[in-house]
Amino acid sequence: MNTHTAQEITLAVHTAVEAALWAPSVHNTQPWSFAVSGDEISVRADADRRLRTADPGGRQMLISCGAALLNVRLALRTLGYEPVVRVLPDPDRPALLATVRPEPGPGADEHTRMLSTEIECRRTHRGEFSEMRVPERLLEALAEQAAAEGARLTPVGAAPAVRVLAALTAAAQEVQSQNQAFSLELLRWGRPPGSPRRDGVAIDAASPRRTDPHFAQRDYTAGRSWEGPAESGTGFAGVTALLTTPGDSREEWIAAGQALQRVLLHASAYGVGAAFHTQALEMRHLREFLRLELCSGEYPQMIMRLGFTVDDVPGTRRPLREVLEELA
């Protein structure tokens, strides 16, 4: 069992928060903030960054924050601490999602170190994948990663089911594109060329190629004077997968975020990236249809495609000073 000085613990806590910043979030909204009091890290939801139209209940916001919480845990373990986590510790403070305290621990195992190495390397993919197939053994390992956090990752092997998911994604996007509130919200998170912003999605982040079957991509440029790349050709869609949880509570949303990030980091270590499609999950009736017809009654938390990619697009995150509050 390792022992650590107060200075070492302080450094570890700040390193863990810096790792949290690299979690994925819908539209790269980064809807989180953190507070440090002594050796305790508070993970908080930033409601000002919640998608009020697409995510009125905060489900996607809490999934994003759950992914950040997983990064905190991994970073502390890699530094030789055991993270003691309390999820939703105070009912009177709904924005406080978790507290984490580092306790002396045995140190990280090889797998934890591998996941930690991928925290800043992982990127969200938008578009087609290479024709190389993801091995079944790796898909099984990814399912085990999700299960370790209380969620289920199910690769969708049946072509008709994949076509249904693609069609529902397209249908949801068509409906949303006709809704002014949805459109304005999406425009808020589109990052124009040359922008110094450290959040949002760059307009050239999406591939101009369609996938087969085609999963609709978000259009962050509609109504703007600048446009994204023109659509051309057809590419490989990769493996479609569903992330589900038995229930649909706030605690399970946070667990889904931790499961998602664990899956993504393990995949990244083997060169596999993920593209997300949340459109259908933002529409209550379509999400319920998916729960009943494709998810065996479990609640769908994420639709994604997995595949090999050689993306090297740099990630953008807000600086630590914008998201961290130091408490006496």
Side-chain angles (χ1 to χ4, degrees):
M1 190 74 69
N2 295 323
T3 58
H4 303 272
T5 66
Q7 185 176 10
E8 288 172 335
I9 293 173
T10 298
L11 178 60
V13 163
H14 285 80
T15 299
V17 174
E18 288 177 345
L21 305 185
W22 289 98
S25 58
V26 59
H27 305 336
N28 195 21
T29 51
Q30 304 172 43
W32 45 60
S33 68
F34 305 89
V36 170
S37 178
D39 64 349
E40 182 176 85
I41 302 169
S42 295
V43 181
R44 307 182 297 195
D46 185 347
D48 290 339
R49 289 176 167 266
R50 174 171 57 83
L51 304 177
R52 298 188 181 280
T53 302
D55 189 30
R59 182 183 65 85
Q60 295 186 81
M61 177 177 67
L62 264 63
I63 289 174
S64 300
C65 292
L69 174 59
L70 191 278
N71 282 2
V72 169
R73 291 169 53 203
L74 290 174
L76 289 176
R77 281 210 173 101
T78 301
L79 292 169
Y81 300 88
E82 182 61 27
V84 178
V85 181
R86 295 177 63 208
V87 174
L88 301 177
D90 188 347
D92 295 327
R93 300 170 63 193
L96 178 60
L97 304 183
T99 59
V100 187
R101 284 185 178 275
E103 296 288 347
D109 58 22
E110 184 177 349
H111 183 254
T112 298
R113 292 185 181 279
M114 180 186 78
L115 296 182
S116 293
T117 300
E118 296 300 319
I119 287 176
E120 293 190 30
C121 300
R122 182 216 60 84
R123 297 288 182 268
T124 297
H125 185 67
R126 295 177 172 86
E128 84 284 359
F129 292 104
S130 76
E131 295 288 340
M132 188 184 307
R133 307 285 166 156
V134 180
E136 287 295 326
R137 185 183 303 176
L138 179 54
L139 291 174
E140 292 170 1
L142 297 180
E144 291 172 359
Q145 294 302 304
E149 300 296 338
R152 184 192 305 272
L153 181 74
T154 305
V156 182
V162 174
R163 290 195 295 269
V164 166
L165 288 168
L168 289 177
T169 298
Q173 179 145 307
E174 287 289 345
V175 171
Q176 290 175 352
S177 68
Q178 302 305 310
N179 183 309
Q180 186 179 35
F182 265 105
S183 298
L184 291 175
E185 189 168 72
L186 196 61
L187 288 178
R188 177 190 174 191
W189 297 104
R191 195 170 70 244
S195 171
R197 284 178 55 181
R198 304 294 295 175
D199 57 8
V201 179
I203 63 161
D204 55 356
S207 166
R209 301 186 71 192
R210 294 173 63 88
T211 59
D212 182 23
H214 183 57
F215 280 81
Q217 296 287 334
R218 302 280 193 178
D219 183 4
Y220 294 92
T221 66
R224 298 280 197 176
S225 59
W226 30 268
E227 297 181 354
E231 203 170 76
S232 64
T234 301
F236 181 52
V239 176
T240 305
L242 290 163
L243 183 75
T244 62
T245 52
D248 205 32
S249 65
R250 297 178 82 233
E251 187 170 8
E252 282 166 302
W253 296 345
I254 295 170
Q258 294 183 87
L260 175 64
Q261 180 67 339
R262 187 175 285 276
V263 166
L264 298 178
L265 294 175
H266 189 99
S268 177
Y270 291 91
V272 171
F276 306 123
H277 300 281
T278 61
Q279 295 96 317
L281 303 183
E282 294 167 354
M283 306 191 74
R284 180 171 55 86
H285 294 94
L286 293 184
R287 185 171 181 241
E288 182 66 4
F289 173 82
L290 285 171
R291 183 179 77 84
L292 295 175
E293 300 298 331
L294 292 183
C295 299
S296 302
E298 292 201 338
Y299 290 85
Q301 306 296 353
M302 185 60 69
I303 300 169
M304 69 185 88
R305 295 181 295 110
L306 300 165
F308 289 98
T309 175
V310 291
D311 277 358
D312 57 359
V313 178
T316 55
R317 291 296 186 274
R318 292 183 292 156
L320 186 64
R321 65 178 181 276
E322 289 188 13
V323 298
L324 177 62
E325 180 183 6
E326 302 271 6
L327 302 176

